[in-house]
Amino acid sequence: MKKLMCALFVSLTFLGSVSAQSKRSLNNDGVDLYNEKKFADAEVKFKKSLEKDPQLFQGHFNLGDSYYKQGRYDEAIQSYKNSIGLTDDKEKKSKAFHNIGNALLKQQKYEDGIGAYKNALKTNPNDLETKYNLSYALNMLKQNQNKQNQQNKNDKNKDQNKDQQQQQQDQQDKKDQNKEQQKQQQQQPKNQISKEEAQRILEAMKNNEKDMQKKLRKVKGKPYATDKDW
């Protein structure tokens, strides 16, 4: 598989003045360090070249490359964006947009990366490397979306399974409760009477007591003959 590109743009134009020679020298020193994979040292040189000329396209672009190689993708993107506004050259703009796309893909920001590659192709429609990277980004976005959809589906199924398990547990708890009630009823003593039956017996006893008292009152009210011992 072809690797994502991160082109290092180097200016070889001799500008003539002492100041121009100095910033050109710093920039090229940075390029040498970059090629030696001394990316942090290269970063320092590119920053020094920008101190002398903040409008130097090559300085911003190459600084972006040094950030990229150090895994500092947000800083790399900002440097590439800074470089885009400093040139009218379509090829240079295309390279900057291309590298922005690469940095975004490293962060798995596929949609943003696709947008950057499309901007690169607007300025340079025949760039095969950008076309390849755009195709790669589109494929990664599709895979990521499919993966996310599958994850959402799995989460939904898990929630449904949890609901079903809870319903089954509730039903089982209800069955267990009914069994316990039946067991308690079966274990109830045979001579134990219900509350209603006890109430009826109590009422009957009260009625019998009233009848007995009535009879006693009648007996007490009846006169008896008195025996005389004369």
Side-chain angles (χ1 to χ4, degrees), residues 1 12 17 19-20 30 44 52 86 98 106 110 116 120 128 131 139 142 149 166 180 187 206-207 213 220:
M1 179 183 291
L12 300 178
S17 68
S19 176
V44 172
K52 293 183 176 296
L86 299 175
H98 177 99
K106 285 291 187 178
Y110 301 118
L128 295 179
K131 287 182 178 180
N139 184 57
K142 183 177 180 180
N149 291 337
Q166 185 61 47
E180 184 63 26
Q187 292 176 348
K206 287 181 179 180
N207 291 334
Q213 289 177 354
K220 289 179 180 180

Side-chain angles (χ1 to χ4, degrees), residues 45 56 62 67-68 75 125 129 152 168 176 187 217:
K45 293 293 184 180
L56 184 64
N62 292 345
Y67 284 142
Y68 182 96
E75 293 169 280
E129 292 171 352
N152 293 339
Q168 292 174 354
D176 293 341
Q187 292 176 348
R217 283 197 297 269

Side-chain angles (χ1 to χ4, degrees), residues 8 13 22 24 30 56 82 129 158 165 202 207:
L8 179 65
T13 303
S22 176
R24 176 175 174 273
L56 184 64
N82 292 341
E129 292 171 352
K158 286 181 181 179
Q165 290 175 358
L202 182 60
N207 291 334

Side-chain angles (χ1 to χ4, degrees), residues 177-192:
Q177 185 178 2
N178 291 336
K179 286 181 180 180
E180 184 63 26
Q181 290 177 350
Q182 292 174 359
K183 183 178 179 181
Q184 290 177 357
Q185 291 174 357
Q186 291 173 355
Q187 292 176 348
Q188 186 176 359
K190 293 182 179 180
N191 59 352
Q192 184 176 349

Side-chain angles (χ1 to χ4, degrees), residues 39-55:
F39 305 119
D41 293 335
E43 173 192 342
V44 172
K45 293 293 184 180
F46 295 138
K47 284 181 176 179
K48 286 183 177 181
S49 72
L50 290 172
E51 288 175 2
K52 293 183 176 296
D53 185 0
Q55 303 300 311

Side-chain angles (χ1 to χ4, degrees), residues 158-171:
K158 286 181 181 179
D159 292 338
Q160 290 177 345
N161 290 336
K162 286 181 180 179
D163 291 339
Q164 291 177 353
Q165 290 175 358
Q166 185 61 47
Q167 290 176 357
Q168 292 174 354
Q169 184 62 45
D170 292 342
Q171 292 174 354

Side-chain angles (χ1 to χ4, degrees), residues 83-127:
S83 72
I84 290 172
L86 299 175
T87 182
D88 293 326
D89 188 292
K90 290 184 177 182
E91 186 176 355
K92 292 179 181 180
K93 285 180 180 288
S94 178
K95 287 180 180 292
F97 279 123
H98 177 99
N99 286 3
I100 289 173
N102 290 350
L104 289 166
L105 256 64
K106 285 291 187 178
Q107 297 174 306
Q108 298 184 351
K109 297 178 180 178
Y110 301 118
E111 291 188 50
D112 292 338
I114 289 168
Y117 290 135
K118 286 182 178 180
N119 285 332
L121 290 173
K122 286 178 183 178
T123 55
N124 187 8
N126 298 320
D127 189 339

